[in-house]
Amino acid sequence: MQQPEIKELRVFFQPMNRVVTVPAGTSLFSAIALAGIAIEGICGGKGTCGKCRVILTRGSCQEAPASDSGCRLTKKEEEQGYHLACQVKVTEDAEFTIPVESRIDSPQILITRTGITGGIDPAVKRYRVDMSPSDGLPFASRSVRFAGYSGMRPRMSDEKYNKLLATDIPRSATLSESRPTPVLLGISPADESIPLYGIAVDLGTTTVVGCLVCLDTGEILATGSTLNRQITYGEELLTRIAYASSPEGLITLQKSAAESINDVIGTLSLVSGIKSADIVDVCIAGNTVMNHLLCGLDPRYLELTDVPVSRLPIKKSAQDLGLDVHPESGVYCLPNVSRFVGGDAVGDMITAGVHFSDELSLIVDLGTNGEIVLGNRNWAASVSCASGPAFEGAGIRSGMRAMKGAIDHVWVNPDTGAISWSTIGSAQARGICGSGIIDLGVAMVETGALDFAGKLNFRHPKVLSSPEGPEFILVPATETGTGWDIVITQQDIDYLMDSKAAACGAIAVLLKRYKCTVWDVRHLYLAGAFGAYTDIQNAVRFGILPRFPVATVHALGNGSLSGAYATLVSMQNR
């Protein structure tokens, strides 16, 4: 029987002015991804986060039946034509507007200038080629060695081997020890002075950050960043593991990770004027799931409790992963520790230098997944916690990433009790990000809008009733860039209480397990955007962190990128 022909439909997206052709019945969320548009989608298309709002402006679409666990739009939003992209199927030619609150753009990305302990000793070096005396022997009968090199015999193609034997002209060989077996990358005249280049990459769940480095000197030549293309398939790690449960899904996520890194490589090449093919080494720090997905390893076993995870660094070739650098370049992924403590936490440790200190240190890296490390030069222990994406602005009614227009800080006038705020880029407020949420929680307590039990107080003039329950109005709709009130609801407060309890509880568990107290910790390292932008005193007052009375607090910055850089330029750090 002849299969019925599937109708092709055109879907327009504004204000990007993009159009994509898809088969009838395609999910609108998939069509948006096909159009190359970055849109919020924390739940990965399950309909539970309510962040992928779009507005139907022309045509019609098929709405999926609402489930009890799904996120429902308000009646006002439905009247204005709002839909959740992941709950809509395209049934005819249509046009949608993606409102400003649903777009992902202009992220505030933390890039830290990095440093290392010790000298420059990269995995890729040049060595002088020495050949045995001819003594009348043909070239093919003579031996070749690399002056100063004492490692395993490097692999090389027949073409390169014959090139080595072809002449007595002084030459240099570029050898890479980044892969399990050393590899001969190239042969050049002995007097050639072209530098060797490498890149260090922080492969984050949300963002990918990289820096281009001169391997001869350790100098950082350029930095670049982009959003991780895997966001389209879910922002949570477990969502991505589920997506990768099929071979096709795993291939898709592997390509997305590689393409994201290639976007950064392209930026670095453009800014520096250096050809990507001249990049001969790559070091990547990412969490355990990101490492698996980038390297095409099935991550499904990571869902199992107490499953053992290899602590050996993953070594691949750039060609195998599809990276736009020298095809025989090695790719070194910082090793994982456990299911939810990965190479990014190892990078934090290297950056903090915990393994060199006699004093007890605590590293706290809070994101969707919280990673906490306790230790000194003699020992180290770690724990992870599901702190949730609240501190990244997700899961909160008016929450958003640290992007342009996000409220990043909130404070109270001590004389008047008035609450003020600032936004990233001094733009009109679009929502509130993690650092602003923490500040706001403290401000609400100070002004009486939030009581000791974490309940909104109707006696405060800014606490009003809504169909979804009580809410605190921080910015009225007339003053926002979206036309919607920026609010904190009682449900948001409950979620924040769970998140802060997870983080503070994990720290307490780790200290208790190793019979330490807050008085024993001498150095507190706060990694990532949490440490760079959050008011630490407010984090303590809000209950995210305990108070460490004698500890020196250090903002670690992007410890993951710093760790990748350290292993790029130093074999000792590897």
Side-chain angles (χ1 to χ4, degrees), residues 233 240 242-255 293:
Y233 309 100
R240 295 191 197 173
Y243 192 89
S245 61
S246 68
E248 297 80 10
L250 181 57
I251 290 171
T252 298
L253 291 182
Q254 194 283 323
K255 287 183 177 179
L293 295 178

Side-chain angles (χ1 to χ4, degrees), residues 43-345:
C43 65
K46 296 177 182 177
T48 57
C49 71
K51 295 292 185 181
C52 60
R53 288 172 164 82
V54 296
I55 304 169
L56 177 66
T57 54
R58 181 168 59 85
S60 64
C61 57
Q62 180 182 339
E63 190 85 31
S67 64
D68 293 337
S69 60
C71 174
R72 289 183 171 85
L73 297 171
T74 64
K75 186 175 182 180
K76 182 179 179 182
E77 288 173 329
E78 291 176 347
E79 290 173 351
Q80 294 182 356
Y82 276 80
H83 297 270
L84 297 181
C86 65
Q87 300 300 298
V88 162
K89 289 185 178 180
V90 180
T91 55
E92 65 176 57
D93 290 351
E95 180 179 271
F96 293 86
T97 295
I98 300 180
V100 65
E101 62 268 26
S102 298
R103 301 176 212 155
I104 300 176
D105 57 8
S106 304
Q108 181 88 338
I109 296 175
L110 178 66
I111 300 178
T112 307
R113 184 164 180 83
T114 50
I116 61 163
T117 301
I120 303 298
D121 181 29
V124 181
K125 301 186 187 76
R126 283 200 179 96
Y127 298 90
R128 188 182 75 249
V129 177
D130 286 346
M131 297 186 66
S132 61
S134 62
D135 294 331
L137 296 173
F139 281 112
S141 301
R142 298 166 64 185
S143 63
V144 177
R145 71 182 186 89
F146 306 114
Y149 176 73
S150 58
M152 295 172 58
R153 181 180 176 86
R155 288 194 302 105
M156 64 188 80
S157 64
D158 290 342
E159 180 185 357
K160 289 177 181 174
Y161 181 68
N162 292 331
K163 187 176 179 180
L164 275 175
L165 299 175
T167 177
D168 274 330
I169 297 174
R171 286 158 301 156
S172 296
T174 302
L175 300 185
S176 170
E177 296 182 74
S178 271
R179 291 166 62 178
T181 303
V183 176
L184 175 66
L185 297 182
I187 306 161
S188 57
D191 58 354
E192 186 173 272
S193 59
I194 297 176
L196 298 173
Y197 302 103
I199 60 166
V201 178
D202 167 26
L203 179 59
T205 310
T206 303
T207 56
V208 181
V209 187
C211 58
L212 178 69
V213 180
C214 175
L215 297 180
D216 300 321
T217 63
E219 180 186 1
I220 296 175
L221 306 175
T223 57
S225 59
T226 189
L227 289 165
N228 190 330
R229 294 192 184 196
Q230 292 179 345
I231 287 176
T232 303
Y233 309 100
E235 297 191 33
E236 295 176 339
L237 294 179
L238 291 178
T239 305
R240 295 191 197 173
I241 290 175
Y243 192 89
S245 61
S246 68
E248 297 80 10
L250 181 57
I251 290 171
T252 298
L253 291 182
Q254 194 283 323
K255 287 183 177 179
S256 296
E259 288 169 356
S260 302
I261 296 174
N262 286 338
D263 288 342
V264 174
I265 293 171
T267 299
L268 298 176
S269 297
L270 183 65
V271 170
S272 64
I274 293 168
K275 295 178 182 178
S276 59
D278 292 334
I279 298 171
V280 294
D281 202 14
V282 181
C283 281
I284 297 175
N287 63 49
T288 307
V289 176
M290 287 298 100
N291 279 338
H292 278 66
L293 295 178
L294 171 66
C295 297
L297 305 176
D298 188 345
R300 285 178 292 177
Y301 77 100
L302 298 176
E303 293 182 305
L304 304 176
T305 305
D306 295 332
V307 67
V309 174
S310 172
R311 294 189 174 187
L312 296 174
I314 303 172
K315 298 180 180 181
K316 296 282 187 177
S317 75
Q319 191 171 39
D320 290 343
L321 298 185
L323 300 185
D324 292 337
V325 295
H326 190 295
E328 293 185 280
S329 292
V331 179
Y332 177 93
C333 297
L334 272 70
N336 303 310
V337 177
S338 63
R339 294 190 305 152
F340 297 112
V341 179
D344 48 356

